[in-house]
Amino acid sequence: MEKETIVYLIRHSKQLKINGIKNIDENDQINNEKIILSVEGENKARKLSERKEFNNIDIIWSSNYVRAIATAKYIAYRNNLEINIDSNFNERKLGNLNNLKDIGKNKKYSYTEEQLLDEKLKNIDGENRVEVNNRMSNSLNKILRENEGKNIVIVSHGAAIKFLLMNWCELNKNFKLTYKDVILDITSPCLLKLTFRKDKLVSLEQELLKDSF
């Protein structure tokens, strides 16, 4: 019988709110990647790491954003592991925000919702859903090939996770992702448990966090 590989897919904990415009150009994109967790976010990340799911983790991956690494560090500490960094798990690049405002003038929904509807919608210096999905899927599939039967943590970001989940999920009329009619809530933080045999998804569950917080 094929071994099952468990992937705990986590959206990073709450980030610190900072005044100012981000992502106008490449320098501000770098600044965005450096945003840290809030005090509440640190507390939630620590409490998240104490869950029984993280008793025996074999490997941890994170985007290169500080807030994702800061979320992963508690799980890494608990399991005496180093964090592996892969920029393919980074958040979707929005691109130039000034131009994004112009795009939004003719759109009915939020930019993320519009990208969920239109996989090729793309801003200047930004990414579309297909591009984000491809890089996320490529890294996930490589990890699955190299770590069959293991328990894996991947810490990423809201839009990037949604775009990856479109491999297996449907989008309802309220722009919520559903898996077998179960609505997924990609809040910050959130915890999803994906079970694979080889590279085939056999189950996807959302682990509810409200009681532990």
Side-chain angles (χ1 to χ4, degrees):
M1 184 175 176
E2 292 179 342
K3 296 178 181 178
E4 290 189 343
T5 305
I6 306 298
V7 174
Y8 294 105
L9 183 59
I10 299 171
R11 181 180 179 182
H12 65 79
S13 196
K14 290 192 174 184
Q15 69 185 57
L16 184 67
K17 292 183 179 180
I18 297 175
N19 290 327
I21 297 175
K22 303 185 294 294
N23 297 328
I24 289 178
D25 57 28
E26 190 63 27
N27 288 331
D28 287 317
Q29 170 64 28
I30 293 171
N31 290 335
N32 182 29
E33 294 173 12
K34 294 179 180 178
I35 295 175
I36 63 175
L37 296 181
S38 66
V39 173
E40 180 186 8
E42 290 283 354
N43 288 335
K44 288 192 172 188
R46 177 180 52 79
K47 289 180 180 179
L48 175 66
S49 74
E50 295 169 355
R51 292 177 62 91
K52 60 181 176 56
E53 290 93 337
F54 303 126
N55 286 342
N56 294 290
I57 297 300
D58 296 298
I59 189 166
I60 300 174
W61 287 87
S62 172
S63 83
N64 67 18
Y65 282 49
V66 171
R67 54 190 178 271
I69 297 169
T71 302
K73 69 185 177 187
Y74 294 99
I75 302 171
Y77 178 78
R78 179 176 175 183
N79 289 273
N80 194 29
L81 294 172
E82 294 183 354
I83 300 171
N84 298 282
I85 303 299
D86 188 342
S87 61
N88 281 339
F89 295 128
N90 283 5
E91 180 58 297
R92 169 264 334 259
K93 283 189 177 182
L94 284 171
N96 186 294
L97 284 191
N98 289 329
N99 190 69
L100 194 61
K101 291 179 182 178
D102 293 333
I103 294 175
K105 290 177 182 178
N106 300 317
K107 300 296 183 182
K108 184 177 179 181
Y109 305 108
S110 74
Y111 187 60
T112 297
E113 291 169 343
E114 292 286 355
Q115 285 194 300
L116 286 167
L117 290 173
D118 181 356
E119 65 180 14
K120 294 186 178 180
L121 178 63
K122 180 176 180 176
N123 186 24
I124 295 172
D125 297 326
E127 293 178 291
N128 62 34
R129 176 157 62 90
V130 171
E131 291 169 329
V132 176
N133 181 284
N134 285 343
R135 61 171 166 82
M136 294 276 285
S137 296
N138 286 341
S139 283
L140 173 61
N141 290 334
K142 183 175 186 292
I143 289 169
L144 292 172
R145 288 194 301 271
E146 295 176 352
N147 297 278
E148 186 178 358
K150 294 184 178 180
N151 296 320
I152 301 160
V153 165
I154 297 174
V155 184
S156 187
H157 304 264
I161 288 173
K162 290 177 183 178
F163 294 171
L164 174 66
L165 291 176
M166 289 294 286
N167 288 338
W168 311 287
C169 295
E170 301 292 332
L171 191 67
N172 71 14
K173 62 182 180 181
N174 296 317
F175 296 99
K176 295 288 187 180
L177 295 177
T178 64
Y179 179 76
K180 296 184 177 179
D181 296 324
V182 176
I183 295 174
L184 305 177
D185 185 17
I186 314 301
T187 51
S188 186
C190 77
L191 172 59
L192 302 167
K193 180 182 178 182
L194 287 70
T195 303
F196 292 88
R197 294 194 184 103
K198 298 293 185 181
D199 60 352
K200 183 179 179 180
L201 183 75
V202 295
S203 71
L204 194 167
E205 308 165 69
Q206 176 145 30
E207 303 292 326
L208 297 178
L209 302 179
K210 291 181 181 179
D211 292 340
S212 61
F213 291 164

